[in-house]
């Protein structure tokens, strides 16, 4: 049952989700759109961005190529959906990987481990994991480090997984570097007033998946949702407003950026499968630190992206051998809007995402991965 022979009908999304998730036999991936290969499909359209919205200097500071060099695409039938194929400067992805693994899990940010461990135990996840990840693997029986047990981290307004809401009382400063990166992407896509206020980081492994869901907890749905991918590739399914709508499958490779805006902002979507990154493809270079970063930063005033030291990269590269990192950035409030005392959006989503991480369905919801 390949995607090309699927039909619209009762729960068509879930059927295709299960097809791409199955292990034996593995799914045929010929119907999965790959934007990195210059796809020729009547479904794929070119998207014109605004190079004047982001100066070359601003882009370089965030580790991005000049906007005029970005390759952006859209899909017929999905107005507001923009896919940017790896706009990052060579070598700069390593910085964002380190941020996700070393910096962003630190307090006062919140992670899944906080749900069942003491604050002392989760105070410095990187330091408690780094020495074990730098050493060669000792076999399958080796216990997982705290870093390998990470499933999600929240930034800015911290998402409450039980109530599906944000609140003014549960907030920490949003990272400046990620704010700049997200704002530049949004501006180039026609959203100059986008204000990054919340981030959810997902940590995927080879057997992970992300269940079918809609992101609708933000109080204002007019700003876009921006998604960044690093490491292993993912099969991403983008559907419609109903479960009966057959989704479109596409690859998200390392460095790819996805913007969901307009009517595409509230569509069902999911990640049924993680697959090895196509490292042989020159458009998706390995993360290895290189002189390209140093040269780019040397020409930049006040760079936000730093070159990753060898000691840190030894840990990051070991972790990323079979992993994928995803950052989704959202604007929670409309301009001039504030949280009501009783949040009218405190409702369950139209379809609660399935559990992730490849563990038993009975695992605690706090350990699940959601976009």
């Amino acid at each position: 049952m390949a995607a090309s022979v699927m039909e619209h009908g009762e729960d068509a999304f879930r059927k295709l989700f299960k097809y791409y998730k199955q292990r034996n036999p593995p799914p045929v991936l010929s119907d999965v759109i790959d934007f990195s290969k210059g796809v020729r499909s009547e479904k794929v359209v070119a998207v014109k961005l605004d190079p004047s919205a982001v100066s070359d200097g601003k882009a370089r500071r965030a580790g991005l190529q000049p906007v005029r060099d970005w390759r952006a695409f859209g899909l017929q039938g999905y107005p507001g959906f923009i896919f940017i194929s790896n706009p990052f400067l060579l070598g700069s992805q390593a910085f964002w990987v380190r941020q996700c693994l070393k910096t962003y899990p630190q307090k006062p940010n919140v992670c899944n481990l906080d749900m069942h461990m003491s604050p002392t135990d989760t105070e410095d996840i990187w330091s408690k994991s780094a020495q074990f990840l730098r050493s060669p693997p000792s076999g399958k029986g080796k216990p997982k480090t705290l870093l390998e047990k990470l499933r999600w981290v929240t930034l800015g307004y911290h998402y409450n997984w039980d109530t599906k809401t944000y609140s003014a009382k549960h907030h920490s400063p949003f990272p400046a570097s990620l704010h700049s990166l997200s704002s530049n992407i949004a501006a180039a896509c026609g959203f100059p007033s986008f204000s990054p206020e919340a981030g959810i980081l997902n940590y995927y492994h080879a057997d992970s998946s992300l269940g079918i869901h809609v992101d609708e907890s933000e109080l204002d749905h007019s700003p876009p949702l921006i998604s960044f991918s690093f490491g292993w590739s993912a099969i991403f399914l983008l559907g419609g407003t109903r479960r009966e709508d057959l989704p479109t499958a596409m690859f998200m490779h390392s460095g790819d950026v996805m913007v969901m805006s307009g009517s595409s902002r509230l569509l069902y979507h999911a990640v049924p499968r993680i697959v090895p990154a196509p490292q042989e493809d020159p458009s998706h270079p390995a993360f290895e630190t290189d002189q390209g970063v140093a040269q780019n930063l040397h020409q930049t005033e006040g760079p936000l992206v730093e070159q990753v030291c060898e000691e840190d990269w030894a840990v990051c590269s070991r972790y990323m051998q079979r992993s994928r990192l995803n950052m989704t950035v959202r604007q929670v409030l409309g301009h001039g809007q504030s949280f009501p005392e009783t949040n009218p959006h405190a409702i369950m989503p139209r379809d609660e995402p399935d559990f992730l991480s490849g563990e038993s369905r009975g695992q605690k919801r706090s350990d699940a991965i959601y976009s």
Side-chain angles (χ1 to χ4, degrees), residues 13 159 164 210-218 221 225 239-243 260 263-270 330 347-354 370-371:
F13 200 129
Y159 187 65
K164 314 298 181 189
L210 170 66
I212 306 165
H213 70 289
V214 176
D215 292 289
E216 57 184 359
S217 296
E218 294 72 32
H221 297 148
L225 183 147
T241 57
R242 306 175 306 152
R243 294 286 293 263
M260 297 175 68
S263 60
S264 292
R265 174 64 176 78
L266 295 174
L267 298 181
Y268 281 108
H269 55 280
R330 308 112 187 281
I347 57 176
M348 294 295 289
R350 281 178 277 171
D351 189 74
E352 182 182 354
D354 291 339
Y370 300 91
S371 75

Side-chain angles (χ1 to χ4, degrees), residues 174-175 178-183 193-199 226 329-332:
F174 193 86
L178 185 55
H179 188 286
S180 177
L181 173 67
S182 306
S183 298
S193 60
F194 177 71
S195 179
E197 295 176 321
I226 304 176
V329 178
R330 308 112 187 281
Q331 179 175 326
V332 177

Side-chain angles (χ1 to χ4, degrees), residues 125-135 145 147 311 314-315:
I125 294 172
W126 172 270
S127 295
K128 293 176 179 178
S129 306
Q131 60 178 327
F132 299 101
L133 287 173
R134 289 191 188 102
S135 60
T145 64
L147 200 56
E311 185 178 15
V315 178

Side-chain angles (χ1 to χ4, degrees), residues 237-258:
L237 299 180
L238 181 63
T241 57
R242 306 175 306 152
R243 294 286 293 263
E244 294 78 15
D245 298 327
L246 183 65
T248 297
M250 65 198 82
F251 284 111
M252 289 195 72
H253 296 306
S254 188
D256 288 344
V257 181
M258 194 170 58

Side-chain angles (χ1 to χ4, degrees), residues 22 40 48 53 60 76-77 116 130 145 219 225 228 240 253 260 265 292 300 305 313 338 351 366:
Q22 71 185 28
R40 295 181 180 179
K48 186 177 181 180
R60 193 181 300 115
Q76 294 283 1
H116 46 80
T145 64
L219 273 66
L225 183 147
F228 303 90
H253 296 306
M260 297 175 68
R265 174 64 176 78
T300 304
V305 174
W313 188 244
S338 59
D351 189 74
S366 60

